Amino acid sequence: MEGESTLTYDGTTLKVNHTTNPILNLTSTNGGPYNTYLRMVGNDTELRGSNGNIEFFTGAADGTSSTERLRITSAGDLALGNTSAARGPIHIHRAASDCYFHMTNSTTGTTSGDGFTLHQGGVETIINNREAGNMRF
């Protein structure tokens, strides 16, 4: 990186300060090298992984009992609740018998009774326009 950089830690926050495009590079040599980059370019934030996937986990802070919730694959597919987008580019899976896809906008409002819902309940699929307007096919 060209320019002046500083790395500070105040007991709570680790900061990388750089005059242009600061990068935080995490490297693992365990089976690698593997790299993850967190980079700021202007007002944009980039997150890059060396294996091509970006994975998001929730759960315990130790990381060993966390569960993957979201994955963006190297092909740009989005898998939510699943580790691959089998019917890409977007695959939503819920490990229960009901799965909802709900869309709203500034006209409809934002509650569960607004907008449009696509519902997979067991083996049935329900399309629900929750507004007074037309549904066109």
Side-chain angles (χ1 to χ4, degrees):
M1 230 180 339
E2 295 181 14
E4 184 179 326
S5 299
T6 60
L7 180 65
T8 59
Y9 179 67
D10 65 6
T12 304
T13 305
L14 179 65
K15 290 184 180 181
V16 177
N17 294 306
H18 189 348
T19 54
T20 58
N21 303 338
I23 299 173
L24 178 60
N25 179 4
L26 305 173
T27 301
S28 171
T29 56
N30 185 8
Y34 302 111
N35 293 293
T36 295
Y37 299 97
L38 181 61
R39 178 179 179 198
M40 179 181 274
V41 179
N43 201 27
D44 297 327
T45 301
E46 296 178 359
L47 177 62
R48 299 173 183 233
S50 60
N51 73 347
N53 294 330
I54 299 174
E55 300 152 358
F56 297 85
F57 289 76
T58 60
D62 64 8
T64 59
S65 57
S66 297
T67 302
E68 183 176 338
R69 302 296 184 184
L70 175 76
R71 176 181 293 206
I72 303 171
T73 69
S74 59
D77 294 340
L78 177 70
L80 179 61
N82 197 17
T83 59
S84 67
R87 295 276 184 186
I90 299 173
H91 184 150
I92 301 171
H93 174 79
R94 184 170 185 203
S97 62
D98 288 328
C99 184
Y100 294 86
F101 178 75
H102 191 78
M103 294 183 351
T104 61
N105 62 34
S106 60
T107 304
T108 65
T110 59
T111 71
S112 63
D114 294 323
F116 166 85
T117 302
L118 182 60
H119 173 212
Q120 180 71 42
V123 295
E124 294 185 356
T125 302
I126 300 164
I127 300 172
N128 190 347
N129 180 5
R130 298 179 180 278
E131 301 297 327
N134 294 328
M135 189 178 304
R136 298 180 188 167
F137 294 94

